[in-house]
Amino acid sequence: MTILDILRTVWTLLQIGWRPALEITILAVGIYYTLIFVRGTRGWPIVVGFLMVLLVLTVVTWALELRVLLWLLTKFLTGLAIAVLVIFQPELRRMLAELGNLPLFTSATETRENIEVIIQTAERLSEVKIGALIAIEQSIQLAEVVESGVAVDCQATPEMLETIFFPNNAIHDGGVIIRGDRIAKAACIFPLTRRQDLNPSLGTRHRAAIGLSEETDAVVVVVSEETGAISYAYKGQLVRGLSLEHLRAFLTTVFVKDPRSHSLTEWLRTRLGFGWFHRRVAAAKPGAPAAKAETRHQTG
């Protein structure tokens, strides 16, 4: 066989096999990033349990040639799409909202100014150990999942936020919603997380922050009333014991869009990844103390 015949054979194989290879690649990437997105949410145990049951039933059905059970499994899988929509409705809504997410603020300068308002507020309240719960709204309207609340609609400033959370204030109990550069509502009741793997020492304020971040794409900043520690919840994950530099770096990463990051890989890492942020902050801030993350396996 000559080199020309080999090249023709290779070309024929490529013509035949490029479509299946492309389909497998697309499916693999889609499944991989779907699992990354769902991991850490309250729907993750459902995914693991469902896959285990499906795998066992498939193996048993195939090995024992149980045709009736195989027929039932086939019919069941046809309705799987509807089951996914029902079970993962909060996660899907958050993902679709992020796909069409528009910049929260009109410019990078205004964004950084609004971030500094949150930083200064957290610093002041942390020093005097006044509890706070601040939700920064993004693309999902928090009014859909937040109960009650008092309409405020004023400019967001550290002084105003400090006044709202002052213990003797009538509206200090509950959360505050920040929309753009304004305080939209105060004394809001956020939905509590239903996760059972969290540290028992976590109070209602932190559980409400996790719950809201599970239902929406909001970033929720928490100041502990007992210790003054600063934390944030985002995409169902709670990170505790933050320094002001860590908090500033995280808020900048989420809200300040980098014009140089236009690649698909960077977009996927930004939207679907979570733990990479800590590596980025650690590399940018050598010597800074590491924050403790409330994950499904580490709840310290």
Side-chain angles (χ1 to χ4, degrees):
M1 180 178 292
T2 63
I3 296 179
L4 184 59
D5 293 334
I6 295 176
L7 292 177
R8 287 177 179 173
T9 303
V10 172
W11 176 249
T12 302
L13 292 175
L14 289 176
Q15 286 182 319
I16 297 174
W18 73 269
R19 286 186 177 88
L22 179 61
E23 290 176 347
I24 292 173
T25 301
I26 293 175
L27 287 174
V29 172
I31 293 173
Y32 173 74
Y33 281 110
T34 299
L35 291 177
I36 288 180
F37 184 84
V38 177
R39 184 181 61 187
T41 66
R42 64 188 181 187
W44 177 246
I46 300 176
V47 173
V48 176
F50 174 77
L51 290 178
M52 291 181 63
V53 171
L54 184 62
L55 180 61
V56 171
L57 287 178
T58 302
V59 171
V60 172
T61 301
W62 176 79
L64 301 180
E65 298 182 357
L66 304 177
R67 296 182 179 180
V68 175
L69 186 57
L70 180 61
W71 180 82
L72 290 175
L73 284 175
T74 304
K75 295 300 181 181
F76 172 76
L77 291 177
T78 58
L80 182 61
I82 299 176
V84 169
L85 290 176
V86 174
I87 295 173
F88 299 105
Q89 185 266 340
E91 288 80 6
L92 290 173
R93 182 176 63 178
R94 189 182 72 201
M95 180 176 66
L96 293 175
E98 290 185 358
L99 289 175
N101 189 23
L102 297 176
L104 179 62
F105 306 117
T106 57
S107 68
T109 301
E110 293 180 1
T111 301
R112 295 182 185 277
E113 291 176 354
N114 292 325
I115 288 175
E116 287 305 313
V117 170
I118 304 299
I119 298 298
Q120 293 177 27
T121 301
E123 180 180 18
R124 295 182 183 184
L125 297 178
S126 176
E127 290 177 351
V128 294
K129 294 185 179 180
I130 294 179
L133 185 61
I134 304 173
I136 307 173
E137 187 178 77
Q138 294 201 73
S139 57
I140 297 178
Q141 295 291 322
L142 300 185
E144 299 179 4
V145 295
V146 171
E147 300 179 15
S148 68
V150 178
V152 179
D153 192 22
C154 67
Q155 186 73 24
T157 63
E159 292 78 14
M160 179 59 68
L161 289 169
E162 192 174 4
T163 300
I164 290 176
F165 288 113
F166 189 75
N168 292 331
N169 196 318
I171 58 175
H172 81 280
D173 194 16
V176 164
I177 297 177
I178 302 293
R179 181 177 298 140
D181 61 347
R182 303 186 67 79
I183 302 174
K185 283 187 174 183
C188 299
I189 300 176
F190 296 163
L192 297 178
T193 181
R194 298 177 183 177
R195 286 172 53 180
Q196 302 297 322
D197 61 333
L198 298 175
N199 193 321
S201 65
L202 287 180
T204 304
R205 186 176 285 112
H206 291 82
R207 293 180 182 272
I210 298 174
L212 185 63
S213 69
E214 289 174 339
E215 300 285 345
T216 70
D217 60 349
V219 176
V220 189
V221 178
V222 186
V223 179
S224 172
E225 184 176 1
E226 290 76 16
T227 64
I230 301 173
S231 311
Y232 73 77
Y234 185 52
K235 295 184 178 181
Q237 304 294 326
L238 178 67
V239 180
R240 306 171 65 189
L242 292 170
S243 65
L244 295 176
E245 289 75 16
H246 275 97
L247 181 60
R248 181 181 289 108
F250 171 73
L251 294 178
T252 301
T253 302
V254 173
F255 294 110
V256 179
K257 310 303 178 183
D258 187 356
R260 296 172 296 178
S261 301
H262 295 296
S263 66
L264 177 61
T265 302
E266 185 65 25
W267 183 88
L268 288 172
R269 290 180 63 194
T270 302
R271 293 299 181 188
L272 302 181
F274 187 79
W276 67 273
F277 162 72
H278 304 290
R279 296 191 296 270
R280 179 175 177 179
V281 171
K285 301 285 184 180
K292 293 192 294 183
E294 286 285 348
T295 63
R296 298 197 63 82
H297 301 292
Q298 180 180 346
T299 57

